[in-house]
């Protein structure tokens, strides 16, 4: 599958899951910022990506979900050093540089963009 | 108040499907404040679509809860799709048929169909469909605190399970 085909499928998933217009789904659009995603939408997006691409996405592989309620990784609404290291390791599809400088949780959520979803799916679909 | 919008469970396939029935009766107060004008005559009371969604959410929610023996607090998180194409009037029966599409530690996605039975014809007719997502709320707390006891599956739900012959699922 080409990157354009992946981009198209990801766009369709986001249009359905978030009720946004297709033209708003640009590569740099943040899921929580520009596209208005709330926490439960992340679960919806994972389920829809699985269905659309015919793959399994284990819990925590795309979004860090419950790691962010673990006090080892998050304290006072900010990522700890361990939390930052964990996300860097677990989320290679996300640009962590923005929240390395500002580790507030909302920055972590904002760092998930359309491009990071496309990168994730492209990596996921590569033959092992 | 008994906020139960299903009367009984009529089919259960473990971890996969659950079907519940709701009989609509003129004795229900809310019907006397909710009318729709029909094509052939004056307005008549009809079952509100919002309460049909609640009935489907209860049906699908019990199914999702049953997968983990009601250990999780299963909360309606998102109605992804809701379509109801026809009214249900007193004397008719509603059937909610829910299936799990996907479930994991965080929550579940379900699909459902809504049917109505008109006793004069004896025929079931499909009148709607749903896609509803549930959260296992203890796994998605985002820093919020919830009570320890399972406030979702209250005595009312437990009574329906028992009277439907599914009390063993709560063990």
């Amino acid at each position: 599958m080409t990157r354009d085909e992946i981009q198209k499928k990801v766009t369709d998933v986001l249009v359905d899951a978030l009720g946004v217009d297709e033209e708003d789904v640009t590569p740099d659009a943040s899921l929580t910022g520009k596209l208005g995603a709330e926490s439960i939408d992340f679960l919806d997006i994972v389920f829809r990506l699985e269905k659309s691409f015919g793959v399994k996405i284990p819990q925590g592989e795309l979004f860090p979900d419950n790691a962010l309620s673990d006090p080892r990784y998050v304290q006072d609404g900010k990522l700890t050093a361990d939390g930052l290291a964990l996300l860097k390791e677990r989320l290679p599809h996300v640009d962590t540089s923005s929240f390395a400088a500002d580790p507030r949780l909302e920055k972590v959520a904002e760092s998930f963009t359309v491009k990071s979803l496309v990168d994730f799916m492209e990596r996921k679909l590569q033959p092992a | 108040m008994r906020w139960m919008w299903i009367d009984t469970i009529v089919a259960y396939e473990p971890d996969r499907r659950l079907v519940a029935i709701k009989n609509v009766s003129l004795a229900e107060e809310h019907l006397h404040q909710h009318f729709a004008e029909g094509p052939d005559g004056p307005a008549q009371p009809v079952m509100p679509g919002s309460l049909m969604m609640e009935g489907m959410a209860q049906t699908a929610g019990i199914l999702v809860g049953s997968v983990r023996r009601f250990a999780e607090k299963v909360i309606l998180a998102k109605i992804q799709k809701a379509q109801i194409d026809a009214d249900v009037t007193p004397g008719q029966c509603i059937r909610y048929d829910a299936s799990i599409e996907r479930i994991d530690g965080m929550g579940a996605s379900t699909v459902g169909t809504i049917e109505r039975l008109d006793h004069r014809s004896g025929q079931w007719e499909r009148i709607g469909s749903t896609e509803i997502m549930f959260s296992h709320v203890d796994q998605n707390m985002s820093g919020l605190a919830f009570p320890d006891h399972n406030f979702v599956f209250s005595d009312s739900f437990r009574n329906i399970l028992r009277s439907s012959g599914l009390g063993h699922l709560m063990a």
Side-chain angles (χ1 to χ4, degrees):
Chain A
M1 194 177 293
T2 66
R3 187 167 174 94
D4 282 351
E5 289 167 336
I6 295 171
Q7 170 85 39
K8 174 76 176 81
K9 280 190 173 220
V10 167
T11 300
D12 289 346
V13 162
L14 293 174
V15 165
D16 288 343
L18 304 177
V20 292
D21 292 330
E22 194 172 328
E23 54 267 30
D24 291 333
V25 187
T26 54
D28 62 345
S30 151
L31 301 190
T32 55
K34 188 173 176 192
L35 301 181
E38 297 179 15
S39 58
I40 196 63
D41 293 319
F42 287 83
L43 189 59
D44 190 12
I45 289 166
V46 167
F47 287 177
R48 287 177 189 271
L49 286 173
E50 286 189 335
K51 203 169 167 183
S52 178
F53 287 92
V55 296
K56 291 296 283 182
I57 302 174
Q59 192 177 338
E61 187 176 309
L62 174 55
F63 302 119
D65 46 51
N66 53 352
L68 297 185
S69 54
D70 187 326
R72 281 177 299 170
Y73 304 129
V74 176
Q75 284 172 11
D76 300 327
K78 291 180 180 174
L79 278 177
T80 62
D82 284 350
L84 186 57
L86 178 85
L87 293 195
K88 277 184 174 168
E89 179 196 328
R90 279 185 27 188
L91 306 175
H93 47 287
V94 174
D95 177 7
T96 55
S97 59
S98 62
F99 55 81
D102 181 357
R104 285 176 297 157
L105 271 190
E106 54 262 40
K107 284 286 171 192
V108 177
E110 283 172 18
S111 65
F112 282 93
T113 61
V114 175
K115 177 178 178 301
S116 56
L117 291 192
V118 176
D119 287 348
F120 172 82
M121 287 312 310
E122 191 172 40
R123 191 173 285 122
K124 183 96 184 155
L125 295 171
Q126 276 172 1
Chain B
M1 179 190 266
R2 297 280 181 267
W3 190 253
M4 297 307 303
W5 292 99
I6 56 175
D7 293 331
T8 191
I9 297 165
V10 295
Y12 172 65
E13 298 171 27
D15 303 346
R16 211 184 78 74
R17 176 172 172 255
L18 189 138
V19 184
I21 292 289
K22 156 77 181 159
N23 290 300
V24 179
S25 162
L26 256 186
E28 295 173 52
E29 277 296 321
H30 65 96
L31 289 176
H32 299 276
Q33 298 171 37
H34 193 263
F35 291 81
E37 193 164 357
D40 309 319
Q44 59 175 332
V46 297
M47 180 74 181
S50 53
L51 292 179
M52 285 198 266
M53 289 310 301
E54 176 66 26
M56 176 56 91
Q58 292 184 356
T59 304
I62 291 173
L63 172 62
V64 172
S66 71
V67 174
R68 301 194 176 189
R69 293 295 189 263
F70 304 98
E72 296 281 359
K73 301 181 184 91
V74 176
I75 299 287
L76 191 160
K78 187 172 179 179
I79 297 177
Q80 299 149 300
K81 175 187 164 191
Q83 183 169 344
I84 299 174
D85 299 321
D87 290 329
V88 176
T89 54
Q92 294 183 324
C93 178
I94 308 172
R95 184 160 66 189
Y96 301 110
D97 192 327
S99 298
I100 290 177
E101 269 211 317
R102 165 77 156 81
I103 186 166
D104 70 11
M106 305 295 283
S109 178
T110 66
V111 294
T113 59
I114 303 173
E115 298 162 292
R116 73 175 176 192
L117 172 67
D118 188 312
H119 292 284
R120 280 175 289 264
S121 68
Q123 299 291 313
W124 284 102
E125 177 189 4
R126 179 177 163 142
I127 60 165
S129 58
T130 61
E131 294 176 17
I132 302 179
M133 173 166 280
F134 295 88
S135 169
H136 291 149
V137 76
D138 284 339
Q139 316 300 328
N140 299 281
M141 290 166 73
S142 304
L144 300 173
F146 291 99
D148 286 338
H149 74 280
N150 197 331
F151 54 86
V152 177
F153 296 108
S154 61
D155 287 346
S156 300
F157 279 105
R158 291 168 181 273
N159 287 339
I160 285 184
L161 281 163
R162 279 191 206 98
S163 65
S164 304
L166 297 171
H168 61 282
L169 296 178
M170 297 180 290

